[in-house]
Amino acid sequence: MAQKKYTAEQIQVLEGLEPVRKRPGMYIGSTDTRGLHHLIVEVVDNSLDEAMAGYCNHIIITFHDDGSVSVEDNGRGIPVDMHPHLKKSALEVVLTTLHAGGKFGGDDSGYKVSSGLHGVGSSVVNALSIHMRAEVYRDGKVHVQEYKRGKPLFELKIEGKTQKKGTLIRFTPDSEIFDTTEFSLDHVLTWLRQQAYLTSGITISVMDARGKRPEGDQKYPKLYRFCFAGGIAAYVAHLNETSQKIGEPIFFEKEMPDGNVEVAIQYTNSFQECVMSFANHVHTIEGGHHLTGFKAALTRTINAYARQYGLLKEKDDNLTADDVREGLTAVVSVRLPEPQFEGQTKGKLGNAEMKTAVETVVNEQLAQYLEEHPSEGKNIVNKCLLASRARLAARAARDSVIRKGALEGMMLPGKLADCSSKDPAECELYIVEGESAGGTAKQGRVREFQAILPLKGKILNVEQARLDRMLANNEIKSLVIALGIGIGDVKDMSKLRYHRIVIMTDADVDGAHIRTLILTFFFRYFPELIENGHMYIAQPPLYKLQKGKDMRYVYTDEEKAEIMKEWGNEAEEIEESEEPGSVEDSQEVDEHDLKQKKRGPRVNIQRYKGLGEMTAQQLWETTMDPERRIMLQVTMEDAQAANLVFSTLMGSEVAPRKKFIQSHAKGVKNLDV
Ligand code: 0RA
């Protein structure tokens, strides 16, 4: 396709950046850590666009020690020619004007993919940065301009010569805008790895140069590098690393009139389904028409194949959509000119034409694959048949659980300390780990609107438990009855008895396991509750710090360090005690008395190992009082992550589980190469 030569004139000028600073949420979603990370997405998206247009094959992301992040690519470089009317360089227009960036390709470039929602561009990042520096390597020169909160600090200038081509954008997020300006490497790596899989052939390098080089540490700064020639088929292989696989990943691709379709699938022996969908490289977490098309084609094609080869007999019912997805790992990736992102989190593809596009490609190419690979085909169908039988058995078990519940008159479980209000909108259910913490919570709550359901811990020790079997577990049965909406086919969301469901577990490893289990359970059986924002995680404090009359609850180690600094306490002076006022060795007390005389009262640190160590009053003040508590709302991403951890922990292969536990125990990160 002939590509028009780009000139500065083609950039449409819409408006300045003031609106972005006034209402950042409108442009990047929020000003919390999500919004912060979105800045990186905005900038990297432009480089990815350049890569997808075929002009760039390397992107380097660097976290600098001064809090800034830079993104460099080896593309054509943002144009720097002067705009004839505005008397500004194209670069300046792109970085200081709303909506000028992102889709600069105009209508000449087919779908030079930009993510639509995410493509609002680097000008937004500029507006929300205390400082930004742009370097463009073009025509043998280094062109430079810098900005403060989106306003140029000087005119575009040339700073020497270069043989390089490309663009570098370095920005420092504005702490006046963001709640936090600390980037999470894990979060960024996960996203970048995903992008590298979706853009086969690109190399993405990440350098973390924050913090001082630890003495003698050769591994500083930390380097990561993603390059996957295999594209989404390699992604599927990666997702299935820890599972027993049925055949190799299968890959389909076709350029359709409405857009490009790529699909990779591989079955495993597990019960897990992991189907991820993307539109223009944006993870469509709520699915959409492309996903619907995929599921329809998968069900139809496998049933047709199974019938044709007598694997399904005449008397047998068709395999259901759920049957053909058990143990399936799949990535569906579409690219289209004008993606419509809908839904609560803008994570759902609204373009109806993509259903037909994906359906057609999968119908054709999966049927052909099965024809050509009869032994793989047979294994896949057998796996689906197994799923079908298991599902029928599980349903029977589930129905009997529910029927039994009904026989008991759907009695609310005895363990539940219900609230008195009958208005679900104001009612909260606390799911608490352990009877003793449950007791404390019962004493600490406001009875009117807070209900407490203690669950026994250690359910997680039942390795290899299938979740359906959990329904036979009394703990889980209590939970289901307390929720009031039923389960499976008989769910009625309008009967939900609490609009806030809060998971409250200890801040230790066991607590995290139980939280993972409960989250996974909700993710699989009550995703609606998560989608509709009903699920929360309570945040009990880690410590109570006391110096004289000044007493503070602290929720993170960083916060603790900050307060200790504020109180001028050196590390060696810290006295940790399990219980405040415990009797101490008399000699030690004498020593402290001496220091105390010099520096005032000493600091007492109480570490809360579990909820049970708090008094009812403390638990109320720190964790349950709506005025003071900090609660995290669970997102589908959180729940999906829990589901993955759960699968790893519960999976049938021992080795990867061991590896996972070990690596997490030490807090080391795996380096993907
Ligand atoms: C518009 C036109 C051209 C390149 C780009 C935009 C471009 C933008 C970004 C943002 C980050 N990296 C980028 N790389 C390229 C091409 C102009 C030409 O015809 O040379």
Side-chain angles (χ1 to χ4, degrees):
M1 182 186 324
Q3 187 133 358
K4 251 193 289 174
K5 179 109 179 75
Y6 168 90
T7 65
E9 257 177 306
Q10 275 169 266
I11 294 173
Q12 271 191 313
V13 178
L14 294 173
E15 51 181 327
L17 295 177
E18 297 80 66
V20 182
R21 289 191 61 86
K22 275 211 193 91
R23 298 168 151 236
M26 296 256 302
Y27 298 87
I28 52 162
S30 64
T31 54
D32 56 13
T33 175
R34 252 160 212 263
L36 179 77
H37 286 83
H38 205 83
L39 300 181
I40 297 185
V41 173
E42 290 291 349
V43 176
V44 175
D45 262 356
N46 290 325
S47 298
L48 286 168
D49 280 355
E50 189 69 357
M52 272 178 270
Y55 296 104
C56 145
N57 64 8
H58 195 183
I59 303 175
I60 304 169
I61 291 93
T62 308
F63 294 94
H64 300 273
D65 199 29
D66 62 2
S68 67
V69 185
S70 61
V71 177
E72 178 176 353
D73 65 52
N74 62 349
R76 290 167 296 176
I78 301 180
V80 287
D81 50 337
M82 291 304 278
H83 192 286
H85 306 307
L86 293 169
K87 307 259 186 304
K88 286 178 185 171
S89 68
L91 176 77
E92 180 173 334
V93 176
V94 165
L95 292 181
T96 60
T97 326
L98 255 186
H99 302 129
K103 277 135 265 169
F104 6 18
D107 51 9
D108 59 344
S109 48
Y111 41 89
K112 192 184 93 138
V113 173
S114 71
S115 44
L117 173 77
H118 298 80
V120 256
S122 7
S123 62
V124 169
V125 178
N126 196 9
L128 303 178
S129 296
I130 181 74
H131 182 258
M132 181 186 270
R133 177 181 168 93
E135 293 183 14
V136 173
Y137 317 116
R138 261 183 98 107
D139 315 319
K141 300 183 196 104
V142 180
H143 308 259
V144 176
Q145 191 168 35
E146 296 185 11
Y147 316 82
K148 182 179 176 183
R149 298 198 164 109
K151 299 224 162 63
L153 290 170
F154 48 79
E155 276 187 26
L156 183 69
K157 65 180 181 192
I158 289 171
E159 264 187 15
K161 295 182 185 166
T162 183
Q163 293 304 309
K164 286 205 289 195
K165 284 188 312 99
T167 308
L168 180 145
I169 302 281
R170 177 167 175 169
F171 64 96
T172 313
D174 192 345
S175 56
E176 275 182 18
I177 300 277
F178 294 97
D179 310 341
T180 166
T181 52
E182 177 93 22
F183 286 103
S184 142
L185 184 68
D186 272 353
H187 189 126
V188 177
L189 288 178
T190 303
W191 180 71
L192 288 171
R193 183 186 296 113
Q194 201 170 65
Q195 295 302 314
Y197 277 119
L198 291 167
T199 319
S200 67
I202 194 154
T203 300
I204 298 181
S205 303
V206 184
M207 179 151 87
D208 188 4
R210 294 174 296 181
K212 296 244 152 43
R213 175 195 288 270
E215 193 99 35
D217 188 346
Q218 303 305 310
K219 293 200 199 89
Y220 180 92
K222 293 190 204 80
L223 293 172
Y224 305 81
R225 194 186 165 96
F226 303 120
C227 178
F228 306 110
I232 60 171
Y235 196 5
V236 165
H238 164 73
L239 291 168
N240 281 346
E241 248 158 35
T242 62
S243 309
Q244 275 180 15
K245 289 150 279 263
I246 301 178
E248 295 301 309
I250 314 169
F251 178 70
F252 314 127
E253 179 183 18
K254 194 168 182 182
E255 184 78 45
M256 298 295 283
D258 290 312
N260 186 67
V261 177
E262 282 185 37
V263 177
I265 65 173
Q266 184 180 37
Y267 279 91
T268 71
N269 271 334
S270 80
F271 310 112
Q272 249 51 68
E273 165 193 343
C274 174
V275 178
M276 309 224 282
S277 64
F278 298 85
N280 292 6
H281 293 206
V282 177
H283 188 186
T284 36
I285 196 135
E286 298 171 76
H289 291 286
H290 52 340
L291 188 62
T292 311
F294 168 73
K295 290 180 180 174
L298 188 75
T299 312
R300 179 183 173 277
T301 306
I302 291 186
N303 272 306
Y305 177 81
R307 293 247 175 243
Q308 189 183 343
Y309 289 89
L311 302 164
L312 264 182
K313 302 279 180 295
E314 221 159 283
K315 60 174 173 47
D316 295 332
D317 283 336
N318 264 356
L319 295 161
T320 67
D322 287 335
D323 296 335
V324 300
R325 288 202 317 276
E326 189 177 291
L328 175 72
T329 301
V331 174
V332 178
S333 170
V334 298
R335 287 183 217 152
L336 64 165
E338 283 182 47
Q340 305 294 319
F341 293 98
E342 301 171 344
Q344 194 201 7
T345 59
K346 299 274 175 246
K348 188 170 183 179
L349 184 67
N351 301 68
E353 69 275 16
M354 293 323 284
K355 173 174 184 288
T356 323
V358 177
E359 204 171 357
T360 309
V361 173
V362 175
N363 271 335
E364 275 175 24
Q365 300 193 20
L366 179 58
Q368 185 183 346
Y369 174 89
L370 294 173
E371 282 298 329
E372 292 170 1
H373 299 81
S375 103
E376 282 89 343
K378 199 167 154 235
N379 288 340
I380 291 174
V381 172
N382 280 337
K383 161 72 187 168
C384 300
L385 286 169
L386 199 67
S388 166
R389 269 175 242 130
R391 197 175 309 281
L392 290 176
R395 174 169 306 162
R398 196 165 62 194
D399 288 351
S400 101
V401 169
I402 293 164
R403 244 179 280 119
K404 264 192 217 138
L407 283 180
E408 287 158 15
M410 269 304 198
M411 283 265 286
L412 283 171
K415 299 152 58 79
L416 174 75
D418 208 5
C419 52
S420 55
S421 164
K422 294 287 167 256
D423 175 10
E426 67 169 12
C427 292
E428 303 182 340
L429 175 66
Y430 277 80
I431 302 170
V432 185
E433 162 195 0
E435 306 282 347
S436 100
T440 314
K442 277 180 203 173
Q443 287 167 27
R445 67 170 173 156
V446 170
R447 214 190 113 94
E448 194 193 342
F449 69 99
Q450 294 179 316
I452 311 290
L453 180 69
L455 287 190
K456 272 202 206 93
K458 304 288 165 223
I459 347 177
L460 201 68
N461 284 349
V462 191
E463 291 205 2
Q464 312 236 11
R466 276 193 64 148
L467 271 183
D468 352 297
R469 240 174 258 160
M470 282 176 51
L471 291 176
N473 177 309
N474 277 327
E475 305 291 312
I476 296 297
K477 216 182 336 181
S478 299
L479 175 57
V480 172
I481 295 173
L483 293 175
I485 52 186
I487 193 162
D489 305 338
V490 288
K491 250 192 276 184
D492 178 356
M493 297 312 286
S494 72
K495 296 224 175 88
L496 181 62
R497 300 180 62 245
Y498 314 92
H499 281 194
R500 273 191 289 275
I501 300 154
V502 187
I503 304 173
M504 187 156 76
T505 57
D506 289 345
D508 61 7
V509 181
D510 277 348
H513 278 186
I514 290 159
R515 187 169 61 235
T516 300
L517 175 82
I518 300 175
L519 270 179
T520 304
F521 175 75
F522 276 96
F523 176 72
R524 297 195 194 166
Y525 287 95
F526 300 101
E528 310 87 335
L529 293 179
I530 301 169
E531 275 162 6
N532 296 335
H534 292 305
M535 294 292 306
Y536 296 85
I537 294 172
Q539 296 287 289
L542 289 182
Y543 305 98
K544 185 172 88 173
L545 305 186
Q546 191 149 18
K547 178 174 179 165
K549 291 214 172 75
D550 194 352
M551 192 269 283
R552 319 235 188 128
Y553 292 110
V554 169
Y555 295 82
T556 64
D557 280 310
E558 291 78 43
E559 221 182 312
K560 173 179 160 219
E562 240 165 64
I563 293 177
M564 295 306 288
K565 220 166 104 190
E566 182 190 319
W567 285 348
N569 272 77
E570 310 290 329
E572 61 267 23
E573 273 188 78
I574 296 169
E575 175 63 28
E576 302 224 16
S577 73
E578 303 260 313
E579 287 159 69
S582 65
V583 185
E584 285 157 15
D585 190 270
S586 61
Q587 225 176 328
E588 246 182 78
V589 173
D590 285 348
E591 260 183 40
H592 277 287
D593 281 345
L594 277 175
K595 281 181 188 161
Q596 239 169 282
K597 284 201 180 87
K598 278 184 245 158
R599 307 212 190 178
R602 70 189 173 89
V603 176
N604 189 298
I605 301 180
Q606 186 187 7
R607 185 189 162 84
Y608 294 118
K609 295 215 187 68
L611 298 167
E613 290 181 11
M614 272 183 253
T615 65
Q617 179 65 21
Q618 283 172 334
L619 190 60
W620 161 254
E621 282 172 14
T622 59
T623 318
M624 297 177 72
D625 177 3
E627 300 289 324
R628 283 177 281 186
R629 70 188 172 194
I630 304 171
M631 292 204 305
L632 302 179
Q633 193 169 35
V634 179
T635 64
M636 281 303 272
E637 277 117 321
D638 298 332
Q640 212 165 36
N643 188 43
L644 248 162
V645 169
F646 180 85
S647 318
T648 312
L649 288 171
M650 296 306 221
S652 51
E653 297 202 7
V654 178
R657 177 165 67 240
K658 230 173 164 176
K659 193 169 119 197
F660 177 89
I661 293 169
Q662 281 169 352
S663 68
H664 278 254
K666 285 195 235 117
V668 293
K669 305 276 162 348
N670 292 325
L671 183 78
D672 287 61
V673 179

